[in-house]
Amino acid sequence: MADSKKKTNLQSSVSGVGGYDATASSGEPIQPSTAFTELLSREELDQMSTLQLIDLIARKLPPRHTSILDLIYLRDRIQQTEELNEQAREALEKLDAIVEKLRSPAFRVGTFLAAVDSDKAHVCLGGTDYVCRVDPAIPLTSLQIGQRVLCNEAFAVVQGLGFDRNGPIVRIDELLSDGRLRLGQESGLSPFVVQRSALLAKEKLKPAMEVRLDANQRVALEVIGMGKRIERSLETVTVLPWSAIGGQDAAVQAIRRSIEQPILHKELFRRFEHQVPKGFLLYGPPGCGKTLLGKATAYNLRQQLREQTGVDRPEFFLHVKGPEILNMWVGESERQVRDLFAQCRERASDGALAFLFIDEAESILGTRRAGRQSSILSTLVPMFCTEMDGIEPLQNVVVILASNRADLIDPAILRPGRIDRKIKVSRPDRTGAEQIYRIYLKDSLPLAEPSADLAKAVTDAHYAKTPDNQFLEIAFRSGRKEFLHRGDMASGAIIAAIVERSKSYAIDRSIEQGADSPITRDDLLLALRKEYEENDLFPPTDITEDWLKLTDFDPDNVIRLGPVRPRKNEGGSGVI
Ligand code: ADP
């Protein structure tokens, strides 16, 4: 309100300057005075800037005329206004340019496949191939195979971008001799071939590794770690006849009945319409030979089949530990399990004897768990069942689960048609232990006595129910106390370790004496004592829970279970 009033006052004062009414003659152009037009032509005047005109007027005024200062003030004001105008014009031009850019159509993103000429590039855009011109500002050598490029409306490459961060993951089937990759039939696609991106140019790739493709599915961009993990779990089965396993006759018989017979006497089983298992569960304390039995199954089956049919089917033994799968990021565990089955099936269809051995199976196929694990288990168990239901009994894949805690495995897994054979792998009894000692104290080794004598002597010491051999003390809820002796806690792994330890004593002695010193009874007895003191198969704590897991006692009946005496630390006296 106040502003508009001020403006009106200003206007009226300007329009009445020097008695002239500049606004009165509206429509008519205002003419300069003759004093001006005599000096310069009208055209010349029109071409002059406002500031030049003011300078002209100032020059015409007599020196020290009072209006000269006013003219200098006016000139300064006009100059400021002109500068502001100039800035506004520049800002407008910039905005115009921005609006122009925003209105222009979107760029397309393509995958650079190869340079064609010095100024042309082979680009895949939305699944279609183009040979595009390249902006001369971009050196063609700066573009790498597989990287993304921006293409304008005319499909010219105007900018190089980084590599795709997303894209499908596929498994490599075969490496072609020129470095290209043949990919498998994933998700209903027929097999296809892609080239490597610049990122993978020097990477050592192998079949069965997983790679991520660019969005156009033309280039392999990166290895997704999984292939490497699987490689780690693939185990070669060494020579392992049934005779290399001691004290597990019942388990060996059960395996041979459930796995070997149906494969070796297929016709017979078909005639009797006898249900054939798809796998089995080996359960029992650690170190008693569950893994060994799994591998022996693979080894012996291969030998038997070769003898019977003359065809050698190499084994494919995939050994995974449950916790390894569990420790993966969300969704990855499931994918990993599916992939294990897929790999085994693939190998089986190539003619291999495929075994999927899952150690510590209760960790992924268990029930009664809490926290993050329970949510994973709730998806892993049904998924595992679906995979099991999808395999033909013994046609292709044999699944072996191993667990110390079979009671924790979800019953759904153990239903008929899935893992319906449960085979107990117990701690070796005295006879079994002696057999195992015999296996490891080979006749070919430098032994101070016949192997059988050494084995008998050390087994006697191992299984003696003497106070010296008392190893664990159990206090039952009923008030009764009982001792477990070393023999009660024996395992194949411990026996193998005792023999190994005794070998190291004999070797030390041989070095000292400068001549072969064979393994003696004393070496074995010392090794036996040391092994129980230091073996890491036993818990390092006195916590009842930890020790209970190694025994068959009902936790409800036991109050305390722990080592009889603190472990001796013979190496040092405890004084520093
Ligand atoms: P688990 O899988 O039950 O924990 P492993 O099969 O891994 O036990 O056994 C570990 C090692 O102990 C084997 O590699 C083998 O050297 C030895 N071992 C275990 N049980 C036996 C056995 N019954 N006969 C011979 N060696 C055995």
Side-chain angles (χ1 to χ4, degrees):
M1 200 48 189
D3 258 8
S4 63
K5 202 168 176 183
K6 215 166 159 184
K7 256 185 204 161
T8 331
N9 286 342
L10 247 168
Q11 269 172 3
S12 63
S13 65
V14 169
S15 60
V17 167
Y20 293 105
D21 189 351
T23 54
S25 51
S26 56
E28 290 293 313
I30 296 168
Q31 300 296 333
S33 72
T34 46
F36 251 22
T37 42
E38 278 166 8
L39 219 64
L40 293 164
S41 73
R42 181 60 205 258
E43 261 176 16
E44 284 170 322
L45 283 173
D46 282 352
Q47 279 172 9
M48 290 172 86
S49 72
T50 317
L51 293 181
Q52 284 170 326
L53 284 175
I54 291 177
D55 291 345
L56 201 63
I57 295 167
R59 253 181 264 129
K60 279 167 54 61
L61 290 176
R64 293 202 183 78
H65 189 281
T66 49
S67 295
I68 287 182
L69 277 180
D70 297 341
L71 276 176
I72 290 172
Y73 170 72
L74 177 65
R75 188 184 193 286
D76 190 43
R77 285 289 300 274
I78 290 174
Q79 195 168 7
Q80 280 176 23
T81 313
E82 281 190 353
E83 277 170 12
L84 280 177
N85 282 347
E86 181 62 21
Q87 284 170 11
R89 198 179 51 74
E90 278 173 12
L92 266 179
E93 273 175 9
K94 274 188 194 154
L95 279 175
D96 273 353
I98 290 171
V99 170
E100 186 63 27
K101 269 190 189 164
L102 291 178
R103 280 199 182 135
S104 60
F107 290 100
R108 294 167 172 86
V109 181
T111 308
F112 174 76
L113 297 178
V116 174
D117 265 344
S118 57
D119 63 343
K120 293 196 207 84
H122 181 183
V123 174
C124 182
L125 268 164
T128 311
D129 283 24
Y130 296 89
V131 172
C132 304
R133 299 226 166 257
V134 181
D135 183 339
I138 305 172
L140 208 52
T141 48
S142 71
L143 297 178
Q144 296 178 291
I145 295 177
Q147 89 170 86
R148 291 172 307 154
V149 285
L150 273 194
C151 293
N152 66 10
E153 243 181 311
F155 289 78
V157 175
V158 290
Q159 197 182 334
L161 303 172
F163 289 86
D164 258 337
R165 307 282 305 158
N166 320 310
I169 294 172
V170 286
R171 178 141 5 88
I172 302 175
D173 250 10
E174 190 185 342
L175 299 180
L176 305 186
S177 55
D178 59 2
R180 287 174 306 149
L181 315 173
R182 181 186 193 272
L183 305 174
Q185 282 164 290
E186 310 256 332
S187 50
L189 293 172
S190 50
F192 60 113
V193 173
V194 295
Q195 56 176 327
R196 297 167 184 234
S197 71
L199 301 178
L200 290 186
K202 296 205 173 94
E203 189 82 13
K204 269 197 171 172
L205 300 177
K206 288 185 185 159
M209 271 187 171
E210 287 198 316
V211 287
R212 185 172 60 77
L213 303 182
D214 70 302
N216 284 304
Q217 307 198 6
R218 301 294 297 273
V219 182
L221 292 178
E222 70 171 322
V223 177
I224 296 290
M226 179 146 161
K228 287 176 187 162
R229 279 200 299 273
I230 286 210
E231 214 179 300
R232 202 182 52 212
S233 11
L234 182 63
E235 295 208 355
T236 44
V237 176
T238 47
V239 177
L240 203 55
W242 290 117
S243 58
I245 300 175
Q248 295 296 350
D249 295 347
V252 170
Q253 286 315 316
I255 293 175
R256 298 186 76 163
R257 250 201 322 278
S258 34
I259 298 297
E260 271 189 16
Q261 282 185 5
I263 291 189
L264 296 173
H265 307 282
K266 243 185 215 167
E267 257 317 302
L268 203 61
F269 272 71
R270 229 193 312 268
R271 279 207 299 280
F272 279 90
E273 295 178 16
H274 188 51
Q275 205 192 6
V276 176
K278 294 175 179 174
F280 49 90
L281 165 72
L282 297 173
Y283 68 99
C288 288
K290 296 184 290 297
T291 314
L292 207 59
L293 283 164
K295 288 185 180 171
T297 310
Y299 172 80
N300 288 290
L301 200 54
R302 177 178 177 178
Q303 309 306 314
Q304 303 242 13
L305 273 175
R306 193 169 46 197
E307 269 170 35
Q308 199 192 45
T309 62
V311 181
D312 189 19
R313 294 179 64 189
E315 349 60 3
F316 176 77
F317 194 85
L318 215 47
H319 181 178
V320 275
K321 287 200 163 73
E324 246 175 42
I325 295 180
L326 200 63
N327 289 341
M328 287 170 183
W329 50 96
V330 180
E332 179 63 10
S333 307
E334 289 82 349
R335 209 170 68 82
Q336 173 92 352
V337 169
R338 259 197 312 273
D339 196 79
L340 292 172
F341 275 95
Q343 263 208 78
C344 286
R345 272 196 303 264
E346 253 168 52
R347 297 294 141 153
S349 65
D350 290 347
L353 281 174
F355 287 81
L356 176 55
F357 186 93
I358 304 181
D359 213 351
E360 300 177 52
E362 77 284 353
S363 61
I364 51 165
L365 302 175
T367 144
R368 292 189 255 156
R369 293 290 168 103
R372 175 183 176 249
Q373 296 195 344
S374 85
S375 66
I376 289 188
L377 291 181
S378 64
T379 57
L380 272 180
V381 170
M383 216 200 67
F384 185 90
C385 292
T386 316
E387 291 289 345
M388 281 301 302
D389 296 346
I391 58 177
E392 283 289 306
L394 299 182
Q395 289 299 313
N396 37 28
V397 186
V398 179
V399 182
I400 307 174
L401 304 185
S403 174
N404 299 340
R405 300 295 313 272
D407 55 314
L408 289 183
I409 291 189
D410 195 306
I413 303 282
L414 306 174
R415 270 200 213 122
R418 293 179 188 149
I419 305 285
D420 54 356
R421 296 285 194 283
K422 298 169 214 68
I423 299 169
K424 182 156 189 190
V425 182
S426 331
R427 291 192 180 279
D429 58 10
R430 204 202 155 289
T431 322
E434 196 171 333
Q435 269 179 28
I436 303 174
Y437 274 117
R438 284 281 288 123
I439 290 169
Y440 289 105
L441 288 166
K442 282 191 253 171
D443 292 319
S444 55
L445 295 173
L447 302 175
E449 297 174 48
S451 159
D453 295 350
L454 280 180
K456 180 170 183 321
V458 67
T459 313
D460 283 344
H462 201 155
Y463 280 74
K465 299 263 180 195
T466 56
D468 254 10
N469 249 355
Q470 284 176 351
F471 185 60
L472 287 182
E473 186 177 5
I474 319 152
F476 290 99
R477 208 163 285 283
S478 62
R480 193 164 56 91
K481 273 195 178 173
E482 206 178 278
F483 288 105
L484 287 187
H485 294 78
R486 284 178 180 150
D488 299 319
M489 298 302 286
S491 70
I494 290 175
I495 294 174
I498 290 172
V499 174
E500 276 310 297
R501 204 181 268 262
S502 70
K503 285 181 191 171
S504 75
Y505 299 153
I507 288 173
D508 284 351
R509 218 170 31 243
S510 301
I511 294 171
E512 236 171 68
Q513 297 173 359
D516 263 16
S517 176
I519 300 171
T520 63
R521 239 171 234 242
D522 286 346
D523 289 335
L524 285 162
L525 298 184
L526 179 62
L528 166 65
R529 188 156 60 78
K530 286 284 191 189
E531 199 53 42
Y532 273 86
E533 281 165 11
E534 295 168 15
N535 194 300
D536 53 12
L537 277 177
F538 296 127
T541 62
D542 281 1
I543 300 170
T544 299
E545 277 279 290
D546 295 345
W547 286 92
L548 260 175
K549 286 184 201 154
L550 302 180
T551 65
D552 281 340
F553 293 109
D554 181 351
D556 291 343
N557 293 340
V558 175
I559 302 175
R560 205 193 82 81
L561 195 159
V564 168
R565 50 184 171 253
R567 282 146 195 257
K568 281 185 211 152
N569 186 358
E570 302 210 338
S573 60
V575 181
I576 299 168

